[in-house]
Amino acid sequence: MRNNFTYLYGISKFNTNKLIKGIEGEEVKGINYSNFYVLYSDVKKSKYKAKLTQLQEHNRVLDFLIQDYVVLPFAFGTVVKNKKIIDKFVEANTDEINKLLEDYKGKVEVGLKICSKLEQETKRNKIEKGTGKSYMMKLYNDYQKRKKLIKNIKQRIKPLTDSLNKNCDKHTSEYMESPPLIFNASYLIKENKFDFFKEKINEFKATAKDDVIYKFSGPWAPYNFVNLKGGGDLLSYER
């Protein structure tokens, strides 16, 4: 059976020239648009679920690229029917693509997640749902406790988040409504700031209360800092 669809990884000035394998072990190729390449594989499926092995295949391509090149990533599972759709997408975004490829030179994304240990244990134990008034009261009380918890942790981590915000190029962050995750942030940083971020977070962890878990991740391609508008049937990539 021949491959009928095009799976997209990202946009880069580097053409892999079939040096690496991507989704389903397919060769990663590049469509040349003069100043950059759209990197893709020919595949049989039109949809992909976020299975671990396939996520790893997708990320391996991007990790390979960010070692030496800027890459503007597409979301996992971005598949189009034909390359004409990509042509329309590029036509609609050429100026912005060129700008981002220049602006993001030597920069990567890192992430910080903060979770509540207590809420993590509660979720793991899976307290059964009740019914009626007692259940509604429990939901209300849990909501109030979480509001208090978030307010407390927000005050405690402010010195850390202020420091990280000052030392990044861009950032996004939010306090989460669903336990056990409390705080979720992404930072676009210069590559030489990676160790600084890691050290700052480790230093803060060492002196902070042990009722929360700090998860530092990266470096990644700048997923949360690329917002390319549509063009043809290729949907805009927005996270």
Side-chain angles (χ1 to χ4, degrees), residues 126-142:
K126 292 184 179 178
I127 296 174
E128 291 185 9
K129 290 183 179 180
T131 56
K133 185 178 179 181
S134 62
Y135 177 59
M136 296 305 294
M137 283 301 297
K138 180 184 180 308
L139 286 180
Y140 176 77
N141 289 333
D142 287 347

Side-chain angles (χ1 to χ4, degrees), residues 5-12 16 22-23 26-33 36-48 54-55 57-59 61-62 65 71-90 93 97 223 228-231 233-237:
F5 300 97
T6 301
Y7 183 98
L8 301 177
Y9 302 98
I11 301 169
S12 176
T16 65
I23 204 86
E26 294 288 345
E27 289 178 340
V28 178
K29 309 170 190 175
I31 306 173
N32 190 347
Y33 287 99
F36 54 80
Y37 295 87
V38 172
L39 302 172
Y40 73 96
S41 288
D42 293 317
V43 294
K44 299 179 181 70
K45 297 180 183 178
S46 61
K47 291 183 181 178
Y48 285 86
Q54 292 174 341
L55 284 168
E57 290 167 345
H58 177 90
N59 287 332
V61 175
L62 297 178
L65 290 166
V71 55
L72 309 179
F74 289 107
F76 170 81
T78 301
V79 181
V80 295
K81 291 179 181 178
N82 57 64
K83 295 182 181 63
K84 289 182 180 178
I85 296 171
I86 304 172
D87 291 341
K88 290 180 181 179
F89 173 76
V90 168
N93 290 282
I97 288 169
Y223 280 105
L228 299 174
K229 299 302 179 184
D233 295 326
L234 182 58
L235 298 177
S236 61
Y237 171 45

